[in-house]
Amino acid sequence: MPARLEIEGGVPLRGTVAASGAKNAALPVLAAALLTSEPLGLANVPALNDVRTMLALLDRLGARATRDESRVQIQVEHVKSDRAPYELVSTMRASVLVLGPLLARHGSARVALPGGCAIGVRPIDQHLKGFARMGAEISIENGDVVARAGRLKGAKISTDLVTVTGTENLMMAAALAEGTTVIENAAREPEVADLADLLNAMGARIRGAGTARIEIEGVTELGGTNHRIIPDRVEAGTLLVAAAITQGDVTVTDVVPDHLWAVLAKLEECGVPHEVGASWIRVRAAERPRAADVITSPFPGFPTDMQAQIMALLGVADGHARVTETIFENRFMHVAELVRMGACIETEGSTAIVRGVDAYQGSPVMASDLRASAALVVAGLAARGTTEVARVYHLDRGYERLETKLAALGARIRRIE
Ligand code: EPU
């Protein structure tokens, strides 16, 4: 039986906890190792299953990597294979991030088409359209995307929708293209800007990352460098919501508060008091939260990756709230489980109507994806009685020792293997 988490709810969390490095920054940064034959020295790399999956994939492609706690040294002297197989891509969609770097450095890539996942269909058509604009030939062969190109050519690209890994993939490919590439409607997520910082330190010429217009002047070669991964804003946000829902007093350190602006604004609307320092955020909650409507949108809007966790909070808030998910079509898998815990939530298409109840009741629940799992843990921390969250492997994809961090804040939580 896979590991479960057992949580005895009702303890207000207290203390200080550090955020780890960001999963969604670490994955593209690791993929960028494919762009150079020289080594990258990476710091603040979180110990997560998704990071292990990316390292396993890069290993097959020719990378040699060593890891010492949160430091990773990685080098791809020669690309040994251009193939990302289905077994890896199907466990982690972010595997598709090797497509751009392989194409740019090696001239070909064969990556299994990701297909669907628990939170929706999630096509990669925008990535492929962009590569085609840069001169790549794209075909689908036996379930794989096959991309081939001589040296890629700079192009004007405007994506039809905002895509985070799409922007990252195109930016990496464009870094080695001939001429200038402009990406309009680019994702503005901090993780995109972090990747651009790394690429520029490797010798790329990228301007505007973090805005909707990124300009990349291609260079012929990139080199090695050292880079520190930015803090995980979603992990930090999850810990802050855990503090709020237990009416605790928690300081999360090692964060970039600007990256959490939308989450903090929403907590404020919910009447959750907090203080912000240069690299820390403290939530000091002594009352039941108030209801507030939430709509997810690309950065700097409210992140879809925090939607489930904030819904867990709204489930026990005073009043009714509407939570609208605009990024993914099927990201309400936590609703049925929260209802098992006594929540009063109904969904209508992409909106969930949440009527706050006084308290959750501990119950056995099942995780379905990463952020849904986090929401169930958060709810369990506030529930009356014992909650058992099954299928914790979803949580382990994106949270580094979440139960250890929560236990250090006083939570009664343990892993049952
Ligand atoms: N989309 C398309 N075509 C494309 C690309 C995207 O239709 O070519 C659609 C998607 O189906 C989705 C929307 O556009 O409906 C946005 O998708 P996006 O490409 O931005 O998502 P992603 O890059 O696959 C990253 C994060 C996700 C996060 C989303 C949105 C990584 C490795 N993953 O995914 O993180 O939810 O951006 O912010 O960066 C998580 O950490 O739990 C997680 C799912």
Side-chain angles (χ1 to χ4, degrees), residues 395-408:
L395 198 73
D396 295 336
R397 290 187 52 187
Y399 289 89
E400 192 176 76
R401 300 175 294 106
L402 184 62
E403 76 274 16
T404 313
K405 290 191 181 189
L406 291 171

Side-chain angles (χ1 to χ4, degrees), residues 24-25 164 168 187-197 209-210 230-231 233 256 258-260 299-300:
N24 290 347
V164 177
E168 292 164 347
R188 291 179 281 169
E189 268 66 5
E191 293 75 18
V192 174
D194 191 46
L195 175 64
D197 286 345
I230 56 168
R233 60 196 168 98
V256 181
D258 271 354
H259 295 172
L260 279 138
F299 192 84

Side-chain angles (χ1 to χ4, degrees), residues 23-24 122-126 163-165 305 327 331 371:
K23 166 177 85 81
N24 290 347
R122 300 176 79 184
I124 55 163
D125 57 307
Q126 300 301 315
T163 158
V164 177
T165 49
D305 289 344
I327 309 293
R331 212 176 196 181
R371 306 304 172 187

Side-chain angles (χ1 to χ4, degrees), residues 67-83:
R67 175 160 199 149
D68 176 16
E69 296 191 345
S70 67
R71 305 191 69 83
V72 169
Q73 183 87 7
I74 183 163
Q75 181 171 15
V76 187
E77 220 173 315
H78 305 284
V79 175
K80 188 169 86 182
S81 157
D82 66 352
R83 174 133 209 242

